[in-house]
Amino acid sequence: EAGVTQSPTHLIKTRGQQATLRCSPISGHTSVYWYQQALGLGLQFLLWYDEGEERNRGNFPPRFSGRQFPNYSSELNVNALELEDSALYLCASSSLFRGRVGNTEAFFGQGTRLTVV
Amino acid sequence: AQSVTQPDIHITVSEGASLELRCNYSYGATPYLFWYVQSPGQGLQLLLKYFSGDTLVQGIKGFEAEFKRSQSSFNLRKPSVHWSDAAEYFCAVDPRRGSASKIIFGSGTRLSIRP
């Protein structure tokens, strides 16, 4: 069974441009999480989608946005790129406990390394 | 504020020695708890998880963790580390706060192995 796949693996953009990162969850998973892992800052929660809706959002500016498609894959868009947006962006998927609170464990992709120059 | 704390930024242990990585959380109710490992340049791999029941959980690669409600802790242990265990380890929490619940990560502990 395929795991979480992210594309591209590496992305180089110039300041002010837009970046689009993609994520395909594990088959059967409806939840997709996005995290930013900048050097020395750990994993910072960006966005959570489930069943096509944004369920929660981290403390990031509006130029970080995304969406989830009917097949549960997801895009993360970063507009007006800044140098400090350079980071590893990790996508994870999970399935919700149906009828209960909380998620099963999250499975992570290998990440997209975004470099802004 | 709700948080996950990994107090040790970097730990070095000798190969064959025992290991304990600390994790504390501050949430009202018992959350779901996880430990992940990240090798350089890679994504995260789940080592183990605690949802309920037995407070000592076994994971992959010989790791185990013990949930202690009284201390709000979920420390990761391994009796004898191998050079391949060198990586970054993240404790994570799902606070179980309803439909807006999200998985929150600690800042990570980098483990180095001394030959």
Side-chain angles (χ1 to χ4, degrees), chain B residues 11-79:
Chain B
I11 287 180
T12 301
V13 299
S14 298
E15 189 168 17
S18 64
L19 170 71
E20 183 169 25
L21 302 182
R22 295 181 290 167
C23 174
N24 293 93
Y25 64 90
S26 59
Y27 293 95
T30 300
Y32 297 143
L33 298 159
F34 310 90
W35 273 99
Y36 286 85
V37 61
Q38 184 181 32
S39 298
Q42 300 296 311
L44 274 72
Q45 181 183 23
L46 180 71
L47 284 174
L48 46 78
K49 62 189 178 187
Y50 173 78
F51 289 162
S52 64
D54 193 347
T55 56
L56 183 64
V57 293
Q58 303 297 321
I60 62 172
K61 304 185 179 184
F63 285 93
E64 66 178 27
E66 186 172 12
F67 167 61
K68 292 185 177 180
R69 185 189 308 273
S70 62
Q71 299 177 18
S72 297
S73 69
F74 189 56
N75 294 349
L76 181 71
R77 301 194 295 249
K78 187 170 184 177

Coordinates of all heavy atoms in Angstrom, one line a residue, chain B residues 11-79:
Chain B
I11 N 20.8 15.1 23.1 CA 21.4 14.1 24.0 C 22.4 13.2 23.2 O 22.1 12.9 22.1 CB 20.2 13.2 24.6 CG1 19.4 14.0 25.6 CG2 20.8 11.9 25.2 CD1 18.3 13.2 26.2
T12 N 23.5 12.9 23.9 CA 24.5 12.0 23.4 C 24.6 10.8 24.3 O 24.9 11.0 25.5 CB 25.8 12.7 23.1 OG1 25.7 13.8 22.3 CG2 26.8 11.7 22.5
V13 N 24.5 9.6 23.8 CA 24.7 8.4 24.6 C 25.6 7.5 23.8 O 25.8 7.6 22.6 CB 23.4 7.7 24.9 CG1 22.5 8.6 25.7 CG2 22.7 7.2 23.6
S14 N 26.3 6.6 24.6 CA 27.2 5.6 24.0 C 26.4 4.5 23.4 O 25.3 4.1 23.9 CB 28.2 5.1 25.0 OG 29.0 6.2 25.5
E15 N 26.9 3.9 22.3 CA 26.2 2.8 21.7 C 26.2 1.6 22.8 O 27.2 1.4 23.5 CB 27.0 2.3 20.5 CG 26.2 1.2 19.7 CD 26.8 1.0 18.3 OE1 28.0 1.4 18.1 OE2 26.1 0.4 17.5
G16 N 25.0 1.0 22.9 CA 24.8 0.0 23.9 C 24.3 0.5 25.2 O 23.8 -0.3 26.0
A17 N 24.3 1.8 25.4 CA 23.8 2.4 26.7 C 22.3 2.5 26.6 O 21.7 2.4 25.5 CB 24.4 3.7 26.9
S18 N 21.7 2.7 27.8 CA 20.2 2.9 27.8 C 19.9 4.3 27.5 O 20.7 5.2 27.6 CB 19.7 2.5 29.2 OG 20.2 3.4 30.1
L19 N 18.6 4.5 27.1 CA 18.2 5.9 26.7 C 16.8 6.2 27.3 O 15.9 5.3 27.4 CB 18.1 5.9 25.1 CG 17.4 7.1 24.5 CD1 18.3 8.3 24.6 CD2 17.0 6.8 23.1
E20 N 16.7 7.4 27.7 CA 15.3 7.9 28.0 C 15.2 9.4 27.5 O 16.0 10.2 27.9 CB 15.1 7.9 29.6 CG 13.7 8.4 29.9 CD 13.3 8.1 31.4 OE1 14.2 8.0 32.2 OE2 12.1 7.9 31.7
L21 N 14.2 9.6 26.7 CA 13.9 10.9 26.2 C 12.6 11.4 26.9 O 11.6 10.7 26.9 CB 13.7 10.9 24.7 CG 14.9 10.4 23.9 CD1 14.5 10.4 22.4 CD2 16.1 11.1 24.2
R22 N 12.6 12.6 27.4 CA 11.5 13.1 28.2 C 10.5 13.9 27.3 O 10.8 14.6 26.4 CB 12.0 14.0 29.3 CG 12.9 13.3 30.3 CD 13.4 14.2 31.4 NE 14.3 15.2 30.9 CZ 14.7 16.3 31.6 NH1 14.1 16.5 32.8 NH2 15.6 17.1 31.1
C23 N 9.2 13.7 27.8 CA 8.1 14.5 27.2 C 7.1 14.8 28.2 O 6.6 13.9 28.9 CB 7.5 13.7 26.0 SG 6.0 14.4 25.3
N24 N 6.7 16.0 28.3 CA 5.6 16.4 29.2 C 4.6 17.2 28.4 O 4.9 17.9 27.5 CB 6.2 17.3 30.3 CG 7.1 16.5 31.3 OD1 8.3 16.5 31.1 ND2 6.5 15.9 32.2
Y25 N 3.3 17.1 28.8 CA 2.3 17.8 28.2 C 1.4 18.5 29.2 O 1.4 18.2 30.4 CB 1.4 16.8 27.3 CG 0.7 15.8 28.2 CD1 -0.6 16.1 28.7 CD2 1.3 14.6 28.5 CE1 -1.2 15.1 29.5 CE2 0.6 13.7 29.3 CZ -0.6 14.0 29.8 OH -1.3 13.0 30.6
S26 N 0.7 19.5 28.7 CA -0.2 20.2 29.6 C -1.5 20.4 29.0 O -1.8 21.3 28.2 CB 0.4 21.6 30.0 OG 0.6 22.4 28.8
Y27 N -2.4 19.4 29.2 CA -3.8 19.4 28.8 C -4.7 18.9 29.9 O -4.2 18.2 30.7 CB -3.9 18.5 27.5 CG -3.2 19.0 26.3 CD1 -1.9 18.6 26.0 CD2 -3.7 20.0 25.5 CE1 -1.2 19.1 25.0 CE2 -3.1 20.5 24.4 CZ -1.8 20.0 24.2 OH -1.1 20.5 23.1
G28 N -5.9 19.4 29.9 CA -6.8 19.0 30.9 C -7.1 17.5 31.0 O -7.0 16.9 32.0
A29 N -7.5 17.0 29.9 CA -7.8 15.6 29.8 C -6.6 14.8 29.3 O -5.7 15.4 28.7 CB -9.0 15.4 29.0
T30 N -6.6 13.5 29.4 CA -5.6 12.7 28.9 C -5.7 12.7 27.4 O -6.7 12.2 26.8 CB -5.6 11.2 29.4 OG1 -5.5 11.3 30.8 CG2 -4.5 10.4 28.8
P31 N -4.6 13.2 26.7 CA -4.7 13.2 25.3 C -4.2 11.9 24.7 O -3.8 11.0 25.4 CB -3.7 14.3 24.9 CG -2.7 14.2 26.0 CD -3.4 13.8 27.2
Y32 N -4.3 11.8 23.4 CA -3.6 10.7 22.7 C -2.1 11.1 22.5 O -1.9 12.3 22.3 CB -4.2 10.4 21.3 CG -5.7 10.0 21.4 CD1 -6.6 10.4 20.4 CD2 -6.1 9.1 22.4 CE1 -7.9 10.0 20.4 CE2 -7.4 8.7 22.4 CZ -8.3 9.1 21.4 OH -9.6 8.7 21.4
L33 N -1.2 10.2 22.7 CA 0.2 10.5 22.8 C 0.9 9.6 21.8 O 0.7 8.5 21.6 CB 0.7 10.2 24.2 CG 0.1 11.0 25.3 CD1 0.2 10.4 26.6 CD2 0.7 12.4 25.3
F34 N 2.0 10.3 21.2 CA 2.7 9.6 20.1 C 4.2 10.0 20.3 O 4.6 11.0 20.8 CB 2.3 10.1 18.7 CG 0.8 10.0 18.5 CD1 0.0 11.1 18.8 CD2 0.2 8.9 17.9 CE1 -1.4 11.1 18.5 CE2 -1.2 8.9 17.7 CZ -1.9 10.0 18.0
W35 N 5.1 9.1 19.8 CA 6.5 9.4 19.5 C 6.8 9.1 18.1 O 6.4 8.0 17.6 CB 7.4 8.5 20.4 CG 7.6 9.1 21.8 CD1 7.0 8.8 23.0 CD2 8.6 10.2 22.1 NE1 7.5 9.6 24.0 CE2 8.5 10.4 23.5 CE3 9.5 10.9 21.4 CZ2 9.3 11.3 24.2 CZ3 10.3 11.8 22.0 CH2 10.2 12.0 23.4
Y36 N 7.5 10.1 17.4 CA 7.9 9.9 16.1 C 9.4 10.1 16.0 O 10.0 10.7 16.8 CB 7.3 11.0 15.2 CG 5.8 10.8 14.9 CD1 4.8 11.3 15.7 CD2 5.4 10.2 13.7 CE1 3.5 11.1 15.4 CE2 4.1 10.0 13.4 CZ 3.1 10.5 14.2 OH 1.8 10.3 13.9
V37 N 10.0 9.5 15.0 CA 11.4 9.6 14.7 C 11.6 10.1 13.3 O 10.9 9.8 12.4 CB 12.2 8.3 14.9 CG1 11.7 7.2 14.0 CG2 13.7 8.5 14.8
Q38 N 12.6 11.0 13.2 CA 12.9 11.6 11.9 C 14.4 11.5 11.6 O 15.2 12.1 12.3 CB 12.5 13.1 11.9 CG 12.7 13.7 10.5 CD 12.3 15.2 10.5 OE1 12.4 15.9 11.5 NE2 11.8 15.7 9.3
S39 N 14.8 10.7 10.6 CA 16.1 10.7 10.2 C 16.4 11.9 9.3 O 15.5 12.5 8.7 CB 16.4 9.4 9.4 OG 16.2 8.3 10.3
P40 N 17.7 12.3 9.2 CA 18.0 13.5 8.4 C 17.5 13.5 7.0 O 17.6 12.6 6.3 CB 19.6 13.5 8.4 CG 20.0 12.7 9.6 CD 18.9 11.7 9.8
G41 N 16.8 14.6 6.7 CA 16.2 14.8 5.4 C 15.0 14.0 5.1 O 14.5 14.0 4.0
Q42 N 14.5 13.3 6.1 CA 13.4 12.4 5.9 C 12.1 12.9 6.6 O 12.1 13.8 7.4 CB 13.7 11.0 6.4 CG 14.9 10.4 5.8 CD 14.7 10.1 4.3 OE1 13.7 9.5 3.9 NE2 15.6 10.5 3.5
G43 N 11.0 12.2 6.3 CA 9.7 12.5 7.0 C 9.7 11.8 8.3 O 10.8 11.3 8.8
L44 N 8.6 11.8 9.0 CA 8.5 11.3 10.3 C 7.9 9.9 10.3 O 7.0 9.6 9.5 CB 7.6 12.2 11.2 CG 8.3 13.4 11.9 CD1 8.7 14.4 10.8 CD2 7.4 13.9 12.9
Q45 N 8.5 9.0 11.1 CA 8.0 7.7 11.2 C 7.4 7.4 12.7 O 8.1 7.8 13.6 CB 9.1 6.7 11.0 CG 8.7 5.2 11.0 CD 9.8 4.2 10.8 OE1 11.0 4.6 11.0 NE2 9.5 3.0 10.4
L46 N 6.3 6.9 12.8 CA 5.7 6.6 14.1 C 6.4 5.5 14.8 O 6.6 4.4 14.2 CB 4.2 6.2 13.9 CG 3.5 5.9 15.2 CD1 3.3 7.2 16.0 CD2 2.1 5.3 14.9
L47 N 6.8 5.7 16.0 CA 7.5 4.7 16.8 C 6.5 4.0 17.7 O 6.5 2.7 17.8 CB 8.5 5.3 17.8 CG 9.8 5.8 17.2 CD1 10.7 6.5 18.2 CD2 10.6 4.6 16.6
L48 N 5.6 4.7 18.3 CA 4.6 4.1 19.2 C 3.5 5.1 19.5 O 3.7 6.3 19.2 CB 5.2 3.6 20.5 CG 6.2 4.4 21.2 CD1 5.5 5.5 22.0 CD2 7.1 3.6 22.1
K49 N 2.4 4.6 20.1 CA 1.3 5.5 20.4 C 0.6 5.0 21.7 O 0.7 3.8 22.0 CB 0.3 5.5 19.2 CG -0.3 4.2 19.0 CD -1.1 4.2 17.7 CE -1.7 2.7 17.4 NZ -2.3 2.7 16.1
Y50 N -0.1 5.9 22.4 CA -0.9 5.6 23.5 C -2.2 6.2 23.3 O -2.4 7.4 23.2 CB -0.2 6.1 24.8 CG -1.1 5.9 26.0 CD1 -1.3 4.6 26.6 CD2 -1.9 6.9 26.5 CE1 -2.1 4.4 27.7 CE2 -2.7 6.8 27.6 CZ -2.9 5.5 28.2 OH -3.7 5.3 29.2
F51 N -3.3 5.4 23.4 CA -4.6 5.9 23.3 C -5.3 5.6 24.7 O -6.0 6.5 25.2 CB -5.4 5.2 22.2 CG -5.0 5.6 20.8 CD1 -5.3 4.9 19.7 CD2 -4.3 6.8 20.6 CE1 -5.0 5.3 18.4 CE2 -3.9 7.2 19.4 CZ -4.2 6.4 18.3
S52 N -5.2 4.4 25.2 CA -5.8 4.1 26.5 C -5.3 2.7 26.9 O -4.5 2.1 26.2 CB -7.4 4.0 26.4 OG -7.7 3.0 25.5
G53 N -5.7 2.3 28.1 CA -5.3 1.0 28.6 C -3.9 0.9 29.2 O -3.5 1.9 30.0
D54 N -3.2 -0.1 29.0 CA -1.9 -0.3 29.6 C -1.0 0.9 29.4 O -0.8 1.4 28.2 CB -1.2 -1.6 28.9 CG 0.0 -2.0 29.7 OD1 0.5 -1.3 30.6 OD2 0.5 -3.1 29.4
T55 N -0.4 1.4 30.5 CA 0.3 2.6 30.4 C 1.7 2.4 29.8 O 2.4 3.4 29.6 CB 0.4 3.3 31.8 OG1 1.0 2.4 32.7 CG2 -1.0 3.7 32.2
L56 N 2.2 1.2 29.7 CA 3.5 0.9 29.1 C 3.2 0.4 27.7 O 2.6 -0.7 27.5 CB 4.3 -0.1 29.9 CG 5.7 -0.4 29.5 CD1 6.6 0.8 29.5 CD2 6.3 -1.5 30.3
V57 N 3.7 1.1 26.7 CA 3.4 0.7 25.3 C 4.7 0.4 24.6 O 5.8 1.0 24.9 CB 2.7 1.8 24.6 CG1 1.3 2.0 25.1 CG2 3.4 3.1 24.6
Q58 N 4.6 -0.6 23.8 CA 5.8 -1.1 23.1 C 5.7 -0.6 21.6 O 4.6 -0.5 21.1 CB 5.8 -2.6 23.0 CG 5.9 -3.3 24.4 CD 7.1 -2.9 25.2 OE1 8.2 -2.8 24.6 NE2 7.0 -2.7 26.5
G59 N 6.8 -0.2 21.1 CA 6.8 0.3 19.7 C 7.8 -0.5 18.8 O 8.3 -1.5 19.2
I60 N 8.1 0.1 17.7 CA 9.0 -0.5 16.8 C 10.5 -0.2 17.2 O 10.7 0.7 18.0 CB 8.8 0.0 15.3 CG1 9.0 1.5 15.2 CG2 7.4 -0.4 14.9 CD1 8.9 2.0 13.8
K61 N 11.4 -1.0 16.6 CA 12.8 -0.7 16.8 C 13.2 -0.9 18.3 O 14.3 -0.3 18.7 CB 13.2 0.6 16.3 CG 12.9 0.9 14.8 CD 13.4 2.2 14.3 CE 13.1 2.4 12.8 NZ 13.7 3.6 12.3
G62 N 12.5 -1.6 19.1 CA 12.9 -1.8 20.5 C 12.6 -0.7 21.4 O 13.0 -0.7 22.6
F63 N 11.8 0.3 21.0 CA 11.4 1.4 21.9 C 10.2 1.1 22.7 O 9.3 0.3 22.2 CB 11.2 2.7 21.0 CG 12.5 3.3 20.5 CD1 13.0 3.0 19.3 CD2 13.1 4.2 21.3 CE1 14.1 3.6 18.8 CE2 14.3 4.8 20.8 CZ 14.8 4.5 19.6
E64 N 10.1 1.7 23.8 CA 8.9 1.7 24.6 C 8.7 3.0 25.3 O 9.6 3.8 25.3 CB 9.0 0.6 25.7 CG 10.0 0.8 26.8 CD 10.0 -0.2 27.9 OE1 9.6 -1.4 27.6 OE2 10.4 0.1 29.0
A65 N 7.5 3.3 25.7 CA 7.2 4.5 26.4 C 6.2 4.3 27.5 O 5.3 3.4 27.4 CB 6.6 5.6 25.4
E66 N 6.2 5.0 28.6 CA 5.4 4.9 29.7 C 4.6 6.2 29.9 O 5.2 7.2 30.1 CB 6.1 4.5 31.0 CG 5.2 4.2 32.1 CD 6.0 3.7 33.3 OE1 7.2 3.7 33.4 OE2 5.3 3.2 34.3
F67 N 3.3 6.0 30.0 CA 2.4 7.2 30.3 C 2.2 7.2 31.8 O 1.8 6.3 32.4 CB 1.0 7.0 29.6 CG 0.0 7.9 30.1 CD1 0.1 9.3 29.9 CD2 -1.2 7.4 30.7 CE1 -0.9 10.1 30.4 CE2 -2.2 8.3 31.1 CZ -2.0 9.6 31.0
K68 N 2.5 8.4 32.3 CA 2.3 8.6 33.8 C 1.4 9.8 33.9 O 1.8 11.0 33.8 CB 3.6 8.9 34.5 CG 4.5 7.7 34.5 CD 5.8 7.9 35.3 CE 6.7 6.7 35.4 NZ 7.9 6.9 36.2
R69 N 0.1 9.5 34.3 CA -0.9 10.6 34.4 C -0.5 11.6 35.4 O -0.7 12.8 35.2 CB -2.2 10.0 34.7 CG -3.4 10.9 34.7 CD -4.6 10.3 35.3 NE -4.9 9.0 34.6 CZ -5.6 9.0 33.5 NH1 -6.1 10.0 32.9 NH2 -5.8 7.8 32.9
S70 N 0.0 11.1 36.6 CA 0.3 12.0 37.7 C 1.4 13.0 37.3 O 1.4 14.1 37.9 CB 0.7 11.2 38.9 OG 1.9 10.5 38.6
Q71 N 2.3 12.7 36.4 CA 3.4 13.5 36.0 C 3.1 14.2 34.7 O 4.0 14.9 34.2 CB 4.7 12.8 36.0 CG 5.0 12.2 37.4 CD 6.3 11.3 37.3 OE1 7.1 11.4 36.4 NE2 6.5 10.5 38.3
S72 N 2.0 13.9 34.0 CA 1.7 14.4 32.7 C 2.9 14.1 31.8 O 3.4 15.0 31.0 CB 1.4 15.9 32.7 OG 0.2 16.1 33.4
S73 N 3.4 12.9 31.8 CA 4.6 12.6 31.1 C 4.4 11.4 30.2 O 3.5 10.5 30.5 CB 5.8 12.4 32.0 OG 5.6 11.2 32.7
F74 N 5.2 11.3 29.2 CA 5.2 10.1 28.2 C 6.6 10.0 27.7 O 6.9 10.3 26.6 CB 4.2 10.4 27.1 CG 3.9 9.2 26.2 CD1 3.5 8.1 26.7 CD2 4.1 9.3 24.8 CE1 3.2 7.0 25.9 CE2 3.8 8.3 24.0 CZ 3.4 7.1 24.5
N75 N 7.5 9.4 28.6 CA 8.9 9.3 28.3 C 9.2 8.1 27.4 O 8.6 7.0 27.6 CB 9.7 9.3 29.5 CG 9.6 10.6 30.3 OD1 9.2 11.6 29.8 ND2 10.1 10.5 31.6
L76 N 10.1 8.3 26.5 CA 10.5 7.2 25.5 C 11.8 6.6 26.1 O 12.7 7.3 26.5 CB 10.8 7.8 24.2 CG 11.2 6.9 23.0 CD1 10.0 6.0 22.6 CD2 11.7 7.6 21.8
R77 N 11.8 5.2 26.0 CA 13.0 4.5 26.5 C 13.4 3.4 25.5 O 12.6 2.9 24.7 CB 12.7 3.9 27.9 CG 12.2 4.8 28.9 CD 12.3 4.2 30.3 NE 11.3 3.1 30.4 CZ 10.2 3.1 31.2 NH1 10.0 4.2 31.9 NH2 9.4 2.1 31.3
K78 N 14.7 3.1 25.6 CA 15.3 2.0 24.9 C 16.4 1.5 25.8 O 17.3 2.2 26.2 CB 15.8 2.4 23.5 CG 16.2 1.2 22.7 CD 16.4 1.6 21.2 CE 16.8 0.3 20.4 NZ 17.0 0.6 19.0
P79 N 16.4 0.1 26.0 CA 17.4 -0.4 26.9 C 18.9 -0.4 26.4 O 19.8 -0.2 27.1 CB 17.0 -1.9 27.1 CG 15.8 -2.1 26.3 CD 15.4 -0.8 25.6

